[in-house]
Amino acid sequence: MKTNFLWGGATASYQCEGAWNLDGKVESMWDRYLHENNLENGDVASDHYHHYEEDIRMMKEGGQTAYRFSLSWPRIIKNKEGDINPEGIKFYQNVLDACHKNGIEPFVTLYHWDLPQYWEDEGGWLNLEVAYAFEHYAKVCFEHFGDKVYYWSTFNEPKWFVANGYFIGNYPPGFKDVQKTMIAAYNVMYASALGVRAFHEKGYKGEIGIVHSYTPVNGVDDSIETRIAMRYADNYSNNWVLDTAVLGEFPIDLIAKLSEDYDIRFIKEEHLKIIKENTVDFIGLNYYARTLVKPYTSGETQLVFNHSGKPGQSKVVIKGWFEQVRDPNSEFTAWDTEIYPKGLQDGLIEAWDRYHLPIYVTENGIGVRENIEVDQVNDDYRISFMNDHLSAIMNAIDYGADIRGYFAWASFDIYSWKNGVEKRYGLVAVNFQQNQARKPKASYYWFKEVIESNGEKVERKIFD
Ligand code: BGP
């Protein structure tokens, strides 16, 4: 690994901070949605708001050199008029100071899904005005934190929050509507370009990228039908984010396909120009699993996600496009996530060949139920998962890909959206029931040794 390779963990504001209505923070769309539907929420989460010093100190003690986290828009901007909450600014100043005091490089995401509810009330991402509100929020962040942050990302996983929120319907705002999905996707990518423009325009030091939920696509065979299905799946899963952010263009065949059945008049020349002229400096890739597909056969679109941890329920069929297949030879988590490090190796190579931009692996980890009422959680499955995925990264580096960092998901146990807190990803166990007590897991110490050996400790594997 290069000597300045970033090694760290990642979190997101809503998933770890808690303090959902403290010190001037206003409601986010997730606060409203989870409260209204009486679902397990992140009101307290890991109470990082009050534990950040301890958490960041533990990162340093764990040998880590970077911390990826997101800023909460509703903690920073109070209302539609764009007024600033000084206490929100102060909180993140403190977090950033704690990072620097501990020699931890902050890697900051502007938007990890917690839209202020006052904007959701105006139509959320269906309203183009929200893209301009995001631009204002981004400018406020650059202005207040620009001297303490070098690495910025506009959005975390547009694909995931747009598809879940507007197409699948399992995340707020809970729509199942293709037309709305297209509009939200478009407005988000436009907002991202506005954020990139605001950053570059003022000449802040540093780099700005986007973080994508990367699911490289494989086919069940080499037939032409499968290759077409793969292209549909790649457009659906990856290309509309990466091509647009990196090359400045929506995939033309995707737009052509959608225009057969839907109204695309929301696409405007002046926005496309801004998207084209304001591309990202790097790509952040979150990798959990690949997408294995076969050609669409019959039936209606089906999108079933497993939020219960009862295996074997997930299903993705997009009518006329593709069907997702479960590889019978693979191992899956209880939440139906395939464990497939080869996908990361191949996907990184593919992304490098396609985009030739620096890449950071901004999330990678395994979510499991764990008994943390022990002296130390012996999470050997996490160690083996991380080992194999780091090996995949090293293979891609050997190929020539410019990969500059690795962030384990997650730095410590946090709230996992619709899966609550029972799905644990952390390197550090958090006892949500008892004083939020923190205790490093075995993986934390293993990761420390990996970092201190600059990757030498990873048991290398080639994935053919
Ligand atoms: C990514 C998100 C994270 C995180 C992770 C694990 O998509 O960026 O916020 O939650 O996935 O997903 P989950 O918590 O649903 O298991």
Side-chain angles (χ1 to χ4, degrees), residues 42-78:
D43 286 3
V44 179
S46 329
D47 200 21
H48 185 57
Y49 193 76
H50 297 110
H51 288 254
Y52 67 91
E53 285 180 294
E54 177 186 2
D55 290 330
I56 294 169
R57 180 176 39 77
M58 287 177 86
M59 292 171 198
K60 177 201 164 85
E61 288 167 4
Q64 298 169 31
T65 60
Y67 174 34
R68 174 173 178 251
F69 62 97
S70 74
L71 307 176
S72 160
W73 183 350
R75 201 180 285 292
I76 291 177
I77 307 287
K78 292 195 285 198

Side-chain angles (χ1 to χ4, degrees), residues 12 15 112-113 156-157 160 171 286 288 363 409 416-417 419 423 425:
Q15 294 181 268
H112 200 127
W113 311 353
N156 179 71
E157 301 193 347
W160 199 251
Y171 279 8
N286 295 348
Y288 293 89
E363 283 179 31
W409 186 265
S416 163
W417 306 111
N419 315 305
K423 189 178 186 186
Y425 281 93

Side-chain angles (χ1 to χ4, degrees), residues 25-27 39 51 80 109 114 153 160 224 302 308 323 328 333 335 358 365 370 375 384 409 414 459-460 464:
K25 175 181 168 292
V26 297
E27 198 183 19
L39 294 166
H51 288 254
K80 278 190 292 181
T109 309
D114 41 0
S153 312
W160 199 251
I224 184 71
Q302 288 184 63
S308 65
E323 296 184 15
T333 71
W335 279 265
E370 280 168 332
D375 287 344
S384 117
W409 186 265
I414 57 180
E459 194 188 307
R460 290 293 292 273
D464 294 324

